[in-house]
Amino acid sequence: MSDGHGSSGDTGGSGGVQRPVGIDELLERVRAGYERIEPQEAYEAALAGDALLVDIRYAALRERDGLIPGALVVERNELEWRLDPQGSHRLPEATSHALRVVVICNEGYASSLAVQSLHQLGLHRATDLVGGFQAWRATGLPVV
């Protein structure tokens, strides 16, 4: 039944109801907006001082699997507050919107959504690690 203003599945126009998006499609859309980084490239960028590695894994995973030396640990629920250069709760490392941040989660999924949020804060160079911590470790990069 139609009221002349589109169906409940309407995806466009002003005031239309948007079609629900599944997580796979959402990840694809988010990732299309930036270039992700591979573990070796992230390692080299961090060594050169060109990137801040930020580990958002929860404590149990860090305790189980270890840490990336030099990575800043910021729980996911605090990420935006800690990295916003204008925020009153920012970390000393959050010096500029031009900061290159590489967000690392366990397998590279949650980090993509976190990057989207950082982009909305103006951190336009934020990216995430393809495959997350598990790919870092599988590549043979340092873990303590």
Side-chain angles (χ1 to χ4, degrees):
M1 183 172 188
S2 175
D3 62 3
H5 297 288
S7 68
S8 62
D10 187 23
T11 60
S14 60
V17 176
Q18 292 204 1
R19 174 182 61 83
V21 176
I23 188 62
D24 292 332
E25 183 178 344
L26 178 61
L27 280 171
E28 186 177 317
R29 287 182 187 181
V30 166
R31 291 172 175 168
Y34 66 96
E35 189 171 329
R36 302 177 79 208
I37 191 169
E38 296 288 337
Q40 187 66 41
E41 184 183 352
Y43 174 69
E44 292 169 8
L47 279 180
D50 185 42
L52 177 64
L53 304 180
V54 179
D55 186 343
I56 63 168
R57 294 174 301 142
Y58 53 89
L61 289 177
R62 295 191 312 267
E63 291 167 9
R64 182 188 77 189
D65 295 337
L67 298 169
I68 295 171
L72 188 64
V73 174
V74 180
E75 296 276 343
R76 174 62 190 98
N77 64 326
E78 296 181 356
L79 186 67
E80 292 82 356
W81 284 267
R82 299 296 187 213
L83 293 183
D84 178 4
Q86 299 174 339
S88 58
H89 298 293
R90 72 174 181 84
L91 293 168
E93 294 85 353
T95 56
S96 162
H97 284 96
L99 182 65
R100 185 177 186 197
V101 175
V102 178
V103 181
I104 303 166
C105 68
N106 194 47
E107 295 182 342
Y109 296 100
S111 56
S112 295
L113 300 178
V115 166
Q116 178 186 36
S117 183
L118 294 178
H119 284 182
Q120 291 174 328
L121 286 175
L123 292 158
H124 60 276
R125 294 182 69 206
T127 187
D128 71 322
L129 190 68
V130 175
F133 178 87
Q134 297 305 325
W136 177 281
R137 186 171 63 181
T139 303
L141 294 169
V143 174
V144 292

